[in-house]
Amino acid sequence: MPYVANTAEDQRAMLDSIGVKNIEELFASIPAELRLKRPLDIPPALSEMELTAHMAALAKKDAPAGEKICFLGAGSYDHFIPAVVDYVASRGEFYTSYTPYQPEASQGNLQVFFEYQTLITQLTGMDVSNASLYDGGSAAAEAVLMAISATGRHSRVVTAASVHPEYRQILATYLANLGIELVTVETPDGVISPETLAKVVNDQTACVLIQQPNFFGCLEPVEAIGKIAHEAGALFAVSVDPISLGLLKRPGDYGADIVVAEGQSLGSPMSFGGPYLGILACREQFVRRMPGRIAGETVDRRGKRCFVLTLQTREQHIRREKATSNICTNQGLFALRAAVYLAALGPQGLRETAELCLRRSHYAAEKLATDNGFERVFAAPTFKEFVVRAKGGDVEDMLVRASEAGYLAGIPLCMWYEDLADCFLVTVTERRTPEEIDGLVGCLNQVAAIHA
Amino acid sequence: MRNTRATQLLFELSKSGRRGVRLPAADVPEVPLADLLPTDALASAPPPLPELTEPELVRHFTNLSTQNMSVDTHFYPLGSCTMKHNPKRNERLANLPGIIDLHPYQPADTLQGLLELLWNLQEMLAEIAGLPAVSLQPAAGAQGEMAALLCAAAHFRKLGQQRTKVLAPDSAHGTNPASAKMAGFDTVTVKSTPAGYVDMADLESKLDLQTAVFMITNPNTLGMFDRQIAEIAKKVHEVGGLIYLDGANMNAILGIARPGDFGADMMHFNPHKTFSGPHGGGGPGAGPISVSKVLEPYLPVPVVVRDENGFHLEYDRPESIGRVRSFFGNVGVLVRAYCYIRTHGPDGLKRVSENAVLNANYLLSKVKHIFPVPQGDRCMHEFVASGAKLKNDRGVSAMDVAKRLLDYGYHAPTVYFPPIVREAMMIEPTETESKETLDAFAQTLFRISEEPADLLQEAPHTTSISRPDEVQAARQPIVAWSPKV
Ligand SMILES: Cc1ncc(COP(=O)(O)O)c(C=O)c1O
């Protein structure tokens, strides 16, 4: 029992103080017939040394980024994490504390959340941000719920096939029992056609949710889309790649009402999909409809500036079923990571990171497309991801072969898009060097030659 | 030594031209930006983020960290949150590259180690719950509640039954009714008896054919095991409803009693509580759910399955509710839970609960003379003391006591929850605290109870700030910094 301090002697003294003979008596309220009458059928205890060896053996069966060169993306990215992020986040005072219910004992966390919120407003061009949600996908669903309550329109939500398929699946799950129709416009050209969109957005539409750059890496005609939403009185919600904002216009600058993002790119490891960071920011007028914790500035009794959790009457612990969301535990540690990351990069660092992604991914896309085996699928401009068609077919087999050769070359799209069954999505972050890109292209060419 | 003066914001420390990170050159043929992206998509300048060097960042955040109480530094008896020690080996092991540098869409053959771990975790949670089918996807307890309720809704839809109501006791955590609403149900509150148990007459009067689910926390939020649970489950099942077990309090019953054996059809775990995941200043958590065979087809996708070729993710489940979040789940938290369970084994887990219950009862025996514990002389892993008498006699509230505890170097208990106890102080010591710590804490509570009212009402006196003006914060919210004009 490595973490329990009670000795046999302590236990005896404690039982005496309580006035019972043994520990068993303390469980008297659990009726015997409801008890488990055997030990749990789980493996026996391991010492720290044994556990370490066991975990090392498991880890050896995996191929982490670094062992295989990672060109996978689609919402989870192999961006560089400066050491200062890990250092700060590994301070026990941060990672072993909890929700700052007692502000006097939590000024560290509260100030970090306030700084995080400010950084997110600077990044997105929105007025206000909350202190984190679970991940980009559930944040998108929360944004839609927020739009429904803000507009009072309970009948239709519009999104597009160019939004991350998993995000749309989450949205469908969240809306399943609320009697709200989810309309998804097709995007055969890899981006939303404003004409097509305009046909389904009506005066009952609560919200238009898009992604920029979209799931295929392409840039959407955001200004035209925002105009269509607003003319119908719907809110315009955008899911963004935070790194892209080093270069691209901020959603606040093209009329978005609610912005969500997967914040993993901002200094958190890929970790097989989580824990991540759900970013949600919006215009000031919706601040009281936001889900989740919000840190706010105030003064203490001596007039000193300080921070508290604020607008708590939105939340489940006060409003119960009338709350704006059920979220309680959030992703505080990942908001901290994002804050350190953004502050470490600063405006220039973020811009250079975005530029590196852009330049290297375009370099990769061009090199790949010059080979006969592959072609670019969409004409729209892209940021750090792009869709490639394997002319020789059997994408999955190609990707397996590439993986055997040491490259996680891309994500097959067959799982989500029937018409893109011979395509895959390639992502190039700033970590991928020109040599690695040349290696990928060489490898894919060889693999394609097998199929030709 | 603590530097309490270093409270300037990042933005106030910023100076144009400073940098914390430098990046390499692109080393690819130079192409004008305008050839790569349409100019109307480009921002005229990068976002106005602050500019600082690495040493400034390190000092800033390190100093901020010292303005927190935490489990590593303080006794943190925050009821319902199970603030136990966060094992350091778990941090090291969860950060192995072969565990953490994995992309969620990597092919299964490059993930066999992690998938094996996750599959085993599914099996172990099913065994601990006594409910055979597990989804590791939900990101926290609240999301687990919603996911399982959506499974229940799908189940009733399949049966062709219109069930619109979710019942929960008035002592339930706020997430219960909030999750029910998000899953599309109307919520109905069931009364508790003065001792904190479900009021059976009230429950029965509210059970009907529209009842989909009764959500119960057992041990409940007063830290009591409701021994009527089998009877409750029978009554709910008789009208065709299901039992949801809020597993936030599993730390009391590991290896002692299993929700599936005492009537639950579905439950969530809070691995960040029961299985020692660090709470991260608010998160991350995780909210895996265990459900009965009947509900299994509806679980979110994917789940980890094992066949003759090893482990893989199964997506093809036509009756699944879909997804509640992207990718697999909060894997980092799940890995720590796995390490925790493997460290303890069957006997170790049982001893965790025994010592958690022993510590709570011991502390109760010391505290009840100072602050009455309306529920009586026994509890499970936590108890709720009432400051009502102190409030009546001397005008000192539970909040005042909580604040004063901070001065003595203790984090406060959870106050004003559950809502059914006046001036509630919910105290959960956990099994990882020593008798000496509990003794000192009880002595401190006694000392506080004797202190002058005005001293308490002005507390805390030694923290980096005194009590904040929360009314002003809510009335005129300032939720982001802006430059002084
Ligand atoms: C009794 C109870 N139920 C549910 C929850 C919700 O869990 P989470 O915060 O992980 O969403 C909590 C914790 O905060 C709780 O204490």
Side-chain angles (χ1 to χ4, degrees), chain A residues 316-318 320-321, chain B residues 80 145 166-178 188-192 196 198 214-218 220-222 246 249 416-420 426:
Chain A
Q316 47 75 28
H317 61 281
I318 309 227
R320 302 177 79 81
E321 68 276 5
Chain B
S80 206
E145 294 168 13
V166 165
L167 277 49
D170 51 11
S171 60
H173 194 259
T175 52
N176 290 189
V188 178
T189 305
V190 175
K191 285 199 207 103
S192 300
V198 173
F214 181 52
M215 298 181 85
I216 179 167
T217 311
N218 202 20
N220 64 23
T221 57
L222 287 169
D246 179 329
N249 294 339
Y416 303 112
F417 180 77
I420 58 170
M426 187 189 215

mmCIF file of all heavy atoms in Angstrom, chain A residues 316-318 320-321, chain B residues 80 145 166-178 188-192 196 198 214-218 220-222 246 249 416-420 426:
data_model
loop_
_atom_site.group_PDB
_atom_site.id
_atom_site.type_symbol
_atom_site.label_atom_id
_atom_site.label_comp_id
_atom_site.label_asym_id
_atom_site.label_seq_id
_atom_site.Cartn_x
_atom_site.Cartn_y
_atom_site.Cartn_z
ATOM 1 N N GLN A 316 -24.068 24.493 -13.600
ATOM 2 C CA GLN A 316 -24.867 23.396 -13.059
ATOM 3 C C GLN A 316 -24.919 23.377 -11.537
ATOM 4 O O GLN A 316 -25.929 22.990 -10.974
ATOM 5 C CB GLN A 316 -24.394 22.046 -13.613
ATOM 6 C CG GLN A 316 -22.883 21.789 -13.600
ATOM 7 C CD GLN A 316 -22.312 21.469 -12.242
ATOM 8 O OE1 GLN A 316 -23.012 20.944 -11.386
ATOM 9 N NE2 GLN A 316 -21.045 21.783 -12.027
ATOM 10 N N HIS A 317 -23.858 23.796 -10.864
ATOM 11 C CA HIS A 317 -23.886 23.666 -9.404
ATOM 12 C C HIS A 317 -24.845 24.674 -8.778
ATOM 13 O O HIS A 317 -25.228 24.522 -7.628
ATOM 14 C CB HIS A 317 -22.488 23.737 -8.785
ATOM 15 C CG HIS A 317 -21.760 25.024 -9.025
ATOM 16 N ND1 HIS A 317 -21.137 25.311 -10.212
ATOM 17 C CD2 HIS A 317 -21.552 26.098 -8.234
ATOM 18 C CE1 HIS A 317 -20.562 26.501 -10.133
ATOM 19 N NE2 HIS A 317 -20.808 27.001 -8.951
ATOM 20 N N ILE A 318 -25.238 25.698 -9.530
ATOM 21 C CA ILE A 318 -26.232 26.645 -9.028
ATOM 22 C C ILE A 318 -27.579 26.426 -9.711
ATOM 23 O O ILE A 318 -28.608 26.313 -9.057
ATOM 24 C CB ILE A 318 -25.759 28.092 -9.291
ATOM 25 C CG1 ILE A 318 -24.336 28.241 -8.765
ATOM 26 C CG2 ILE A 318 -26.750 29.104 -8.714
ATOM 27 C CD1 ILE A 318 -24.005 29.413 -7.953
ATOM 28 N N ARG A 320 -28.590 23.908 -11.844
ATOM 29 C CA ARG A 320 -29.000 22.526 -12.101
ATOM 30 C C ARG A 320 -29.545 22.392 -13.519
ATOM 31 O O ARG A 320 -28.835 22.739 -14.456
ATOM 32 C CB ARG A 320 -29.958 22.073 -10.998
ATOM 33 C CG ARG A 320 -29.262 22.194 -9.600
ATOM 34 C CD ARG A 320 -30.125 21.852 -8.445
ATOM 35 N NE ARG A 320 -30.289 20.418 -8.222
ATOM 36 C CZ ARG A 320 -29.423 19.630 -7.601
ATOM 37 N NH1 ARG A 320 -28.287 20.127 -7.150
ATOM 38 N NH2 ARG A 320 -29.664 18.348 -7.427
ATOM 39 N N GLU A 321 -30.788 21.939 -13.709
ATOM 40 C CA GLU A 321 -31.218 21.656 -15.091
ATOM 41 C C GLU A 321 -31.351 22.926 -15.937
ATOM 42 O O GLU A 321 -31.449 22.839 -17.164
ATOM 43 C CB GLU A 321 -32.511 20.820 -15.120
ATOM 44 C CG GLU A 321 -33.769 21.508 -14.641
ATOM 45 C CD GLU A 321 -33.918 21.453 -13.125
ATOM 46 O OE1 GLU A 321 -32.996 20.964 -12.429
ATOM 47 O OE2 GLU A 321 -34.963 21.916 -12.624
ATOM 48 N N SER B 80 -16.451 15.320 -2.105
ATOM 49 C CA SER B 80 -16.973 14.898 -3.402
ATOM 50 C C SER B 80 -15.906 14.914 -4.490
ATOM 51 O O SER B 80 -16.170 14.504 -5.608
ATOM 52 C CB SER B 80 -18.171 15.756 -3.841
ATOM 53 O OG SER B 80 -18.997 15.003 -4.710
ATOM 54 N N GLU B 145 -22.349 10.969 -17.686
ATOM 55 C CA GLU B 145 -23.782 10.978 -17.354
ATOM 56 C C GLU B 145 -24.608 11.176 -18.618
ATOM 57 O O GLU B 145 -25.566 10.445 -18.889
ATOM 58 C CB GLU B 145 -24.101 12.130 -16.381
ATOM 59 C CG GLU B 145 -23.476 11.994 -15.009
ATOM 60 C CD GLU B 145 -23.591 13.288 -14.193
ATOM 61 O OE1 GLU B 145 -24.360 14.196 -14.588
ATOM 62 O OE2 GLU B 145 -22.899 13.391 -13.160
ATOM 63 N N VAL B 166 -36.412 12.005 -16.158
ATOM 64 C CA VAL B 166 -35.311 11.498 -15.351
ATOM 65 C C VAL B 166 -35.502 12.015 -13.937
ATOM 66 O O VAL B 166 -35.691 13.217 -13.716
ATOM 67 C CB VAL B 166 -33.947 11.955 -15.918
ATOM 68 C CG1 VAL B 166 -32.841 11.750 -14.906
ATOM 69 C CG2 VAL B 166 -33.635 11.204 -17.206
ATOM 70 N N LEU B 167 -35.488 11.100 -12.976
ATOM 71 C CA LEU B 167 -35.656 11.470 -11.568
ATOM 72 C C LEU B 167 -34.288 11.507 -10.887
ATOM 73 O O LEU B 167 -33.423 10.687 -11.198
ATOM 74 C CB LEU B 167 -36.524 10.414 -10.858
ATOM 75 C CG LEU B 167 -38.043 10.511 -10.961
ATOM 76 C CD1 LEU B 167 -38.518 10.688 -12.384
ATOM 77 C CD2 LEU B 167 -38.714 9.297 -10.316
ATOM 78 N N ALA B 168 -34.118 12.440 -9.975
ATOM 79 C CA ALA B 168 -32.880 12.480 -9.178
ATOM 80 C C ALA B 168 -33.204 13.087 -7.825
ATOM 81 O O ALA B 168 -34.065 13.965 -7.730
ATOM 82 C CB ALA B 168 -31.810 13.303 -9.888
ATOM 83 N N PRO B 169 -32.541 12.624 -6.770
ATOM 84 C CA PRO B 169 -32.804 13.164 -5.433
ATOM 85 C C PRO B 169 -32.386 14.630 -5.316
ATOM 86 O O PRO B 169 -31.531 15.099 -6.079
ATOM 87 C CB PRO B 169 -31.938 12.316 -4.502
ATOM 88 C CG PRO B 169 -31.450 11.172 -5.303
ATOM 89 C CD PRO B 169 -31.524 11.561 -6.741
ATOM 90 N N ASP B 170 -32.961 15.331 -4.359
ATOM 91 C CA ASP B 170 -32.589 16.734 -4.129
ATOM 92 C C ASP B 170 -31.149 16.876 -3.654
ATOM 93 O O ASP B 170 -30.583 17.962 -3.693
ATOM 94 C CB ASP B 170 -33.563 17.402 -3.144
ATOM 95 C CG ASP B 170 -33.748 16.604 -1.866
ATOM 96 O OD1 ASP B 170 -32.975 15.645 -1.639
ATOM 97 O OD2 ASP B 170 -34.678 16.924 -1.091
ATOM 98 N N SER B 171 -30.556 15.768 -3.223
ATOM 99 C CA SER B 171 -29.153 15.811 -2.786
ATOM 100 C C SER B 171 -28.190 15.573 -3.947
ATOM 101 O O SER B 171 -26.984 15.562 -3.754
ATOM 102 C CB SER B 171 -28.920 14.739 -1.717
ATOM 103 O OG SER B 171 -29.219 13.457 -2.253
ATOM 104 N N ALA B 172 -28.727 15.377 -5.150
ATOM 105 C CA ALA B 172 -27.857 15.025 -6.289
ATOM 106 C C ALA B 172 -26.935 16.175 -6.662
ATOM 107 O O ALA B 172 -27.245 17.348 -6.457
ATOM 108 C CB ALA B 172 -28.703 14.639 -7.492
ATOM 109 N N HIS B 173 -25.809 15.808 -7.235
ATOM 110 C CA HIS B 173 -24.879 16.789 -7.773
ATOM 111 C C HIS B 173 -25.549 17.522 -8.934
ATOM 112 O O HIS B 173 -26.337 16.936 -9.667
ATOM 113 C CB HIS B 173 -23.635 16.051 -8.273
ATOM 114 C CG HIS B 173 -22.467 16.945 -8.551
ATOM 115 N ND1 HIS B 173 -22.119 17.341 -9.815
ATOM 116 C CD2 HIS B 173 -21.572 17.519 -7.720
ATOM 117 C CE1 HIS B 173 -21.054 18.116 -9.756
ATOM 118 N NE2 HIS B 173 -20.693 18.244 -8.497
ATOM 119 N N GLY B 174 -25.207 18.800 -9.118
ATOM 120 C CA GLY B 174 -25.842 19.615 -10.160
ATOM 121 C C GLY B 174 -25.695 19.064 -11.565
ATOM 122 O O GLY B 174 -26.535 19.309 -12.438
ATOM 123 N N THR B 175 -24.628 18.299 -11.798
ATOM 124 C CA THR B 175 -24.463 17.752 -13.139
ATOM 125 C C THR B 175 -25.578 16.768 -13.491
ATOM 126 O O THR B 175 -25.906 16.620 -14.666
ATOM 127 C CB THR B 175 -23.100 17.034 -13.295
ATOM 128 O OG1 THR B 175 -22.965 16.093 -12.239
ATOM 129 C CG2 THR B 175 -21.958 18.032 -13.266
ATOM 130 N N ASN B 176 -26.152 16.092 -12.483
ATOM 131 C CA ASN B 176 -27.183 15.073 -12.786
ATOM 132 C C ASN B 176 -28.367 15.690 -13.519
ATOM 133 O O ASN B 176 -28.684 15.283 -14.647
ATOM 134 C CB ASN B 176 -27.646 14.330 -11.530
ATOM 135 C CG ASN B 176 -26.610 13.390 -10.915
ATOM 136 O OD1 ASN B 176 -26.900 12.624 -10.010
ATOM 137 N ND2 ASN B 176 -25.373 13.452 -11.391
ATOM 138 N N PRO B 177 -29.055 16.670 -12.917
ATOM 139 C CA PRO B 177 -30.157 17.283 -13.660
ATOM 140 C C PRO B 177 -29.709 17.995 -14.940
ATOM 141 O O PRO B 177 -30.423 17.956 -15.954
ATOM 142 C CB PRO B 177 -30.755 18.278 -12.655
ATOM 143 C CG PRO B 177 -29.765 18.431 -11.556
ATOM 144 C CD PRO B 177 -28.954 17.176 -11.540
ATOM 145 N N ALA B 178 -28.531 18.594 -14.911
ATOM 146 C CA ALA B 178 -28.065 19.302 -16.117
ATOM 147 C C ALA B 178 -27.805 18.316 -17.262
ATOM 148 O O ALA B 178 -28.122 18.601 -18.420
ATOM 149 C CB ALA B 178 -26.799 20.105 -15.799
ATOM 150 N N VAL B 188 -37.124 15.506 -12.672
ATOM 151 C CA VAL B 188 -38.047 15.505 -11.539
ATOM 152 C C VAL B 188 -37.220 15.260 -10.279
ATOM 153 O O VAL B 188 -36.389 14.350 -10.250
ATOM 154 C CB VAL B 188 -39.098 14.384 -11.698
ATOM 155 C CG1 VAL B 188 -40.034 14.353 -10.496
ATOM 156 C CG2 VAL B 188 -39.871 14.553 -13.002
ATOM 157 N N THR B 189 -37.422 16.102 -9.275
ATOM 158 C CA THR B 189 -36.628 15.975 -8.056
ATOM 159 C C THR B 189 -37.349 15.101 -7.031
ATOM 160 O O THR B 189 -38.536 15.284 -6.774
ATOM 161 C CB THR B 189 -36.376 17.368 -7.451
ATOM 162 O OG1 THR B 189 -35.767 18.175 -8.456
ATOM 163 C CG2 THR B 189 -35.464 17.293 -6.245
ATOM 164 N N VAL B 190 -36.616 14.162 -6.471
ATOM 165 C CA VAL B 190 -37.162 13.284 -5.429
ATOM 166 C C VAL B 190 -36.595 13.735 -4.084
ATOM 167 O O VAL B 190 -35.404 14.041 -3.977
ATOM 168 C CB VAL B 190 -36.772 11.815 -5.713
ATOM 169 C CG1 VAL B 190 -37.226 10.906 -4.580
ATOM 170 C CG2 VAL B 190 -37.354 11.365 -7.049
ATOM 171 N N LYS B 191 -37.473 13.783 -3.082
ATOM 172 C CA LYS B 191 -37.042 14.278 -1.763
ATOM 173 C C LYS B 191 -36.140 13.284 -1.044
ATOM 174 O O LYS B 191 -36.243 12.079 -1.254
ATOM 175 C CB LYS B 191 -38.266 14.528 -0.876
ATOM 176 C CG LYS B 191 -39.032 15.775 -1.242
ATOM 177 C CD LYS B 191 -39.907 16.188 -0.038
ATOM 178 C CE LYS B 191 -41.120 16.951 -0.507
ATOM 179 N NZ LYS B 191 -42.354 16.190 -0.517
ATOM 180 N N SER B 192 -35.320 13.832 -0.170
ATOM 181 C CA SER B 192 -34.538 12.990 0.739
ATOM 182 C C SER B 192 -35.171 13.056 2.116
ATOM 183 O O SER B 192 -35.803 14.049 2.469
ATOM 184 C CB SER B 192 -33.102 13.513 0.848
ATOM 185 O OG SER B 192 -32.480 13.518 -0.400
ATOM 186 N N GLY B 196 -31.022 11.865 5.000
ATOM 187 C CA GLY B 196 -30.275 11.953 3.744
ATOM 188 C C GLY B 196 -30.532 10.813 2.774
ATOM 189 O O GLY B 196 -29.894 10.746 1.722
ATOM 190 N N VAL B 198 -33.084 8.360 0.232
ATOM 191 C CA VAL B 198 -34.187 8.606 -0.683
ATOM 192 C C VAL B 198 -35.511 8.424 0.067
ATOM 193 O O VAL B 198 -35.710 7.427 0.772
ATOM 194 C CB VAL B 198 -34.116 7.629 -1.882
ATOM 195 C CG1 VAL B 198 -35.360 7.756 -2.755
ATOM 196 C CG2 VAL B 198 -32.852 7.888 -2.690
ATOM 197 N N PHE B 214 -33.811 6.681 -12.994
ATOM 198 C CA PHE B 214 -33.589 7.290 -11.682
ATOM 199 C C PHE B 214 -32.079 7.368 -11.479
ATOM 200 O O PHE B 214 -31.383 6.358 -11.533
ATOM 201 C CB PHE B 214 -34.246 6.456 -10.589
ATOM 202 C CG PHE B 214 -34.066 7.038 -9.203
ATOM 203 C CD1 PHE B 214 -34.400 8.363 -8.933
ATOM 204 C CD2 PHE B 214 -33.547 6.270 -8.168
ATOM 205 C CE1 PHE B 214 -34.236 8.913 -7.656
ATOM 206 C CE2 PHE B 214 -33.384 6.811 -6.884
ATOM 207 C CZ PHE B 214 -33.719 8.130 -6.642
ATOM 208 N N MET B 215 -31.594 8.595 -11.270
ATOM 209 C CA MET B 215 -30.152 8.780 -11.056
ATOM 210 C C MET B 215 -29.893 8.823 -9.559
ATOM 211 O O MET B 215 -30.490 9.631 -8.856
ATOM 212 C CB MET B 215 -29.675 10.099 -11.678
ATOM 213 C CG MET B 215 -29.863 10.171 -13.175
ATOM 214 S SD MET B 215 -29.251 11.742 -13.870
ATOM 215 C CE MET B 215 -27.505 11.385 -14.092
ATOM 216 N N ILE B 216 -29.008 7.957 -9.104
ATOM 217 C CA ILE B 216 -28.721 7.958 -7.674
ATOM 218 C C ILE B 216 -27.214 7.909 -7.453
ATOM 219 O O ILE B 216 -26.483 7.256 -8.205
ATOM 220 C CB ILE B 216 -29.452 6.794 -6.959
ATOM 221 C CG1 ILE B 216 -29.130 6.786 -5.472
ATOM 222 C CG2 ILE B 216 -29.125 5.441 -7.600
ATOM 223 C CD1 ILE B 216 -30.034 5.894 -4.639
ATOM 224 N N THR B 217 -26.781 8.609 -6.450
ATOM 225 C CA THR B 217 -25.380 8.589 -6.045
ATOM 226 C C THR B 217 -25.316 7.737 -4.786
ATOM 227 O O THR B 217 -25.985 8.047 -3.808
ATOM 228 C CB THR B 217 -24.890 10.023 -5.744
ATOM 229 O OG1 THR B 217 -25.279 10.866 -6.838
ATOM 230 C CG2 THR B 217 -23.398 10.083 -5.588
ATOM 231 N N ASN B 218 -24.579 6.642 -4.829
ATOM 232 C CA ASN B 218 -24.529 5.739 -3.675
ATOM 233 C C ASN B 218 -23.150 5.129 -3.557
ATOM 234 O O ASN B 218 -22.738 4.398 -4.441
ATOM 235 C CB ASN B 218 -25.588 4.630 -3.832
ATOM 236 C CG ASN B 218 -25.960 4.020 -2.492
ATOM 237 O OD1 ASN B 218 -25.744 4.628 -1.447
ATOM 238 N ND2 ASN B 218 -26.533 2.835 -2.523
ATOM 239 N N ASN B 220 -24.144 8.222 -1.125
ATOM 240 C CA ASN B 220 -24.745 9.469 -1.598
ATOM 241 C C ASN B 220 -23.875 10.675 -1.249
ATOM 242 O O ASN B 220 -22.789 10.529 -0.692
ATOM 243 C CB ASN B 220 -26.178 9.602 -1.083
ATOM 244 C CG ASN B 220 -26.247 9.711 0.437
ATOM 245 O OD1 ASN B 220 -25.280 10.111 1.087
ATOM 246 N ND2 ASN B 220 -27.384 9.359 1.002
ATOM 247 N N THR B 221 -24.371 11.852 -1.579
ATOM 248 C CA THR B 221 -23.539 13.044 -1.399
ATOM 249 C C THR B 221 -23.398 13.440 0.074
ATOM 250 O O THR B 221 -22.638 14.348 0.390
ATOM 251 C CB THR B 221 -24.086 14.239 -2.211
ATOM 252 O OG1 THR B 221 -25.430 14.479 -1.800
ATOM 253 C CG2 THR B 221 -24.074 13.936 -3.698
ATOM 254 N N LEU B 222 -24.114 12.741 0.958
ATOM 255 C CA LEU B 222 -23.859 12.929 2.391
ATOM 256 C C LEU B 222 -22.810 11.942 2.893
ATOM 257 O O LEU B 222 -22.473 11.918 4.068
ATOM 258 C CB LEU B 222 -25.148 12.726 3.187
ATOM 259 C CG LEU B 222 -26.180 13.841 3.069
ATOM 260 C CD1 LEU B 222 -27.503 13.399 3.674
ATOM 261 C CD2 LEU B 222 -25.684 15.090 3.758
ATOM 262 N N ASP B 246 -24.366 7.353 -10.132
ATOM 263 C CA ASP B 246 -23.306 8.357 -10.193
ATOM 264 C C ASP B 246 -22.138 7.830 -9.368
ATOM 265 O O ASP B 246 -22.240 7.703 -8.152
ATOM 266 C CB ASP B 246 -23.849 9.680 -9.625
ATOM 267 C CG ASP B 246 -22.809 10.800 -9.630
ATOM 268 O OD1 ASP B 246 -21.607 10.511 -9.492
ATOM 269 O OD2 ASP B 246 -23.221 11.974 -9.743
ATOM 270 N N ASN B 249 -18.518 8.615 -5.967
ATOM 271 C CA ASN B 249 -18.123 8.194 -4.625
ATOM 272 C C ASN B 249 -17.620 6.750 -4.563
ATOM 273 O O ASN B 249 -17.657 6.116 -3.514
ATOM 274 C CB ASN B 249 -19.288 8.401 -3.657
ATOM 275 C CG ASN B 249 -19.613 9.879 -3.498
ATOM 276 O OD1 ASN B 249 -18.764 10.736 -3.771
ATOM 277 N ND2 ASN B 249 -20.823 10.190 -3.085
ATOM 278 N N TYR B 416 -21.632 24.444 1.361
ATOM 279 C CA TYR B 416 -22.981 24.658 0.801
ATOM 280 C C TYR B 416 -23.385 23.591 -0.216
ATOM 281 O O TYR B 416 -24.214 23.813 -1.076
ATOM 282 C CB TYR B 416 -23.128 26.073 0.227
ATOM 283 C CG TYR B 416 -22.833 27.113 1.291
ATOM 284 C CD1 TYR B 416 -21.712 27.922 1.212
ATOM 285 C CD2 TYR B 416 -23.659 27.223 2.415
ATOM 286 C CE1 TYR B 416 -21.419 28.837 2.219
ATOM 287 C CE2 TYR B 416 -23.372 28.132 3.428
ATOM 288 C CZ TYR B 416 -22.239 28.932 3.327
ATOM 289 O OH TYR B 416 -21.965 29.811 4.324
ATOM 290 N N PHE B 417 -22.785 22.430 -0.118
ATOM 291 C CA PHE B 417 -23.231 21.282 -0.892
ATOM 292 C C PHE B 417 -23.075 20.066 0.004
ATOM 293 O O PHE B 417 -22.074 19.956 0.702
ATOM 294 C CB PHE B 417 -22.405 21.115 -2.185
ATOM 295 C CG PHE B 417 -22.848 19.929 -2.998
ATOM 296 C CD1 PHE B 417 -24.003 20.000 -3.776
ATOM 297 C CD2 PHE B 417 -22.157 18.725 -2.939
ATOM 298 C CE1 PHE B 417 -24.429 18.889 -4.494
ATOM 299 C CE2 PHE B 417 -22.592 17.628 -3.661
ATOM 300 C CZ PHE B 417 -23.724 17.701 -4.434
ATOM 301 N N PRO B 418 -23.996 19.121 0.029
ATOM 302 C CA PRO B 418 -25.256 19.116 -0.727
ATOM 303 C C PRO B 418 -26.261 20.138 -0.190
ATOM 304 O O PRO B 418 -26.189 20.519 0.981
ATOM 305 C CB PRO B 418 -25.771 17.686 -0.531
ATOM 306 C CG PRO B 418 -25.153 17.231 0.744
ATOM 307 C CD PRO B 418 -23.820 17.906 0.824
ATOM 308 N N PRO B 419 -27.179 20.544 -1.053
ATOM 309 C CA PRO B 419 -28.080 21.637 -0.701
ATOM 310 C C PRO B 419 -29.061 21.302 0.429
ATOM 311 O O PRO B 419 -29.720 22.200 0.941
ATOM 312 C CB PRO B 419 -28.830 21.917 -2.011
ATOM 313 C CG PRO B 419 -28.617 20.732 -2.879
ATOM 314 C CD PRO B 419 -27.352 20.087 -2.443
ATOM 315 N N ILE B 420 -29.117 20.028 0.840
ATOM 316 C CA ILE B 420 -30.117 19.671 1.858
ATOM 317 C C ILE B 420 -29.610 19.824 3.289
ATOM 318 O O ILE B 420 -30.362 19.616 4.233
ATOM 319 C CB ILE B 420 -30.647 18.230 1.651
ATOM 320 C CG1 ILE B 420 -29.495 17.225 1.699
ATOM 321 C CG2 ILE B 420 -31.388 18.118 0.326
ATOM 322 C CD1 ILE B 420 -29.962 15.774 1.734
ATOM 323 N N MET B 426 -18.638 19.770 3.598
ATOM 324 C CA MET B 426 -18.501 18.385 3.152
ATOM 325 C C MET B 426 -17.022 18.029 3.164
ATOM 326 O O MET B 426 -16.228 18.600 2.416
ATOM 327 C CB MET B 426 -19.075 18.308 1.742
ATOM 328 C CG MET B 426 -19.173 16.949 1.173
ATOM 329 S SD MET B 426 -19.617 17.159 -0.547
ATOM 330 C CE MET B 426 -20.641 15.749 -0.778
#
